[in-house]
Amino acid sequence: MGQAPEVIAIGEPLVALLADGSAPLADVESFSRHVAGAEANVAVGLARLGRRALFVGRVGDDGFGRTITRGLRGEGVDVSGVVVDAARRTGLLVRERRALGPSEVLYYRQGSAGSALGPPDVDAVAAAFDGARWLHLTGITPALSDGAHGAVLRAIELARANDVRISFDVNLRRRLWSDEAAAACLHPIAVGADVVFGDADELAVVARVVASADGLEAARTLQAGGSGSVVVKRGAAGATLIGQGMPVAAAAVTVARVVDPVGAGDAFCAGYLAALLEGLDAAAALRWGNACAAAALSAEGDLVGLPTRLELERLIAETGTDTIR
Ligand code: KDG
């Protein structure tokens, strides 16, 4: 382990095979390989912004696992929490691309190395919690297996014992479990977190309220239940934070063309946490989150568009310049 991490992110890293053209999956003949996984995306987003992130997860002893480990390391993420599981394969997802309507994602992650994450993997990096500032979790990991759920609970215990704040992105994955199962498992995690991120629909499921377009009732319900603050990610409508005081809102950064909609939420979390680590206030954190999300939307794959610190500053400054010479 290098210098002490500021953020510890725990989850399943994946290789994503993204269709090269717009077509139903049955007609796609070539794919591009990307590193993905919501929590790994956040770790890379933080590293691009100059923050120290440690990633904890499992990969198989295979080429995809090596791609992930090399990719994360190359981005400056501390991979000392990555376990190579020789008995299982690296998790995989395949995503088609459609010009119209939603694109389908297929997961090949049941029984994967990543899903075999367990409390001992977290205990192996226990020392990193001493001095870390944030633990970043998502609602994907507890859906993977009992062991992975246990790893999340162990990480929460260690965070609490070490005064590390907890950031929780709901990331509801309906291909992994039902809304009822997700709510039962994720509600206690959300109300114990210092900041919760989600879109209006995800927050409503976890808060067990009827979904509304602005997500505010769900956010208020979670906040009243114990969440420190709740950020409603509203896509093109920006983001709103519900905390102790008045709601804080920030407009989205306009995106000329959405190249790839996936990964923007993770980019938002990375920007938001990076701003807080710099000592900025909630309004600035929302702006950073929105700008990072817009950058992610503008590039193919989860990681490609994640901005560096300089790129983020340029985006926020909105200079109107289209070429820097
Ligand atoms: O947030 C982006 C993720 O959806 C993607 O990288 C894959 O982690 C993933 C998941 O479980 O869907």
Side-chain angles (χ1 to χ4, degrees):
M1 214 178 287
Q3 236 190 328
E6 295 168 297
V7 182
I8 300 170
I10 299 181
E12 178 172 25
L14 297 162
V15 155
L17 298 181
L18 307 186
D20 280 338
S22 286
L25 193 55
D27 296 301
V28 180
E29 292 182 352
S30 66
F31 298 84
S32 297
R33 189 208 62 199
H34 292 261
V35 171
E39 308 79 7
N41 294 345
V42 173
V44 171
L46 285 160
R48 292 245 178 114
L49 293 171
R51 311 310 315 194
R52 294 189 307 278
L54 166 70
F55 182 75
V56 182
R58 284 184 166 243
V59 296
D61 187 8
D62 50 41
F64 284 155
R66 282 187 278 286
T67 289
I68 289 169
T69 309
R70 284 181 198 156
L72 296 183
R73 187 188 290 119
E75 293 285 353
V77 173
D78 181 343
V79 293
S80 57
V82 175
V83 176
V84 178
D85 183 337
R88 293 165 186 265
R89 291 188 184 155
T90 303
L92 188 68
L93 76 80
V94 178
R95 181 152 58 84
E96 64 178 14
R97 196 203 315 237
R98 302 245 182 180
L100 186 67
S103 306
E104 200 178 345
V105 172
L106 297 184
Y107 289 130
Y108 297 86
R109 67 197 303 184
Q110 218 173 357
S112 65
S115 69
L117 184 75
D121 300 326
V122 177
D123 287 332
V125 296
F129 282 79
D130 178 13
R133 308 219 355 234
W134 285 94
L135 167 67
H136 181 73
L137 303 168
T138 81
I140 300 170
T141 317
L144 300 176
S145 67
D146 289 345
H149 183 204
V152 165
L153 298 181
R154 180 75 187 119
I156 290 171
E157 274 171 24
L158 285 171
R160 288 287 165 239
N162 286 278
D163 257 339
V164 175
R165 283 183 289 172
I166 297 169
S167 142
F168 174 64
D169 190 359
V170 176
N171 264 335
L172 184 63
R173 294 290 181 266
R174 290 190 163 104
R175 290 245 145 131
L176 298 180
W177 54 2
S178 67
D179 285 7
E180 296 68 37
C185 177
L186 301 183
H187 183 269
I189 297 175
V191 295
D194 296 277
V195 56
V196 177
F197 301 95
D199 64 24
D201 173 47
E202 292 172 333
L203 294 173
V205 169
V206 176
R208 299 194 181 93
V209 300
V210 176
S212 63
D214 63 12
L216 295 185
E217 191 201 339
R220 289 199 178 100
T221 304
L222 288 174
Q223 205 262 334
S227 311
S229 56
V230 181
V231 176
V232 190
K233 295 187 278 191
R234 301 185 59 211
T240 306
L241 173 114
I242 299 294
Q244 297 286 343
M246 295 290 287
V248 183
V253 171
T254 309
V255 174
R257 186 170 76 89
V258 175
V259 175
D260 182 353
V262 179
D266 307 327
F268 182 98
C269 293
Y272 189 91
L273 293 178
L276 294 187
L277 285 166
E278 293 229 357
L280 302 180
D281 65 11
L286 292 175
R287 281 198 298 277
W288 280 38
N290 283 335
C292 289
L297 289 171
S298 308
E300 188 69 48
D302 293 7
L303 303 181
V304 176
L306 292 170
T308 63
R309 180 60 206 269
L310 184 62
E311 288 165 345
L312 176 69
E313 276 166 19
R314 284 179 184 151
L315 265 177
I316 288 176
E318 287 177 302
T319 56
T321 308
D322 61 11
T323 312
I324 298 166
R325 311 169 207 254

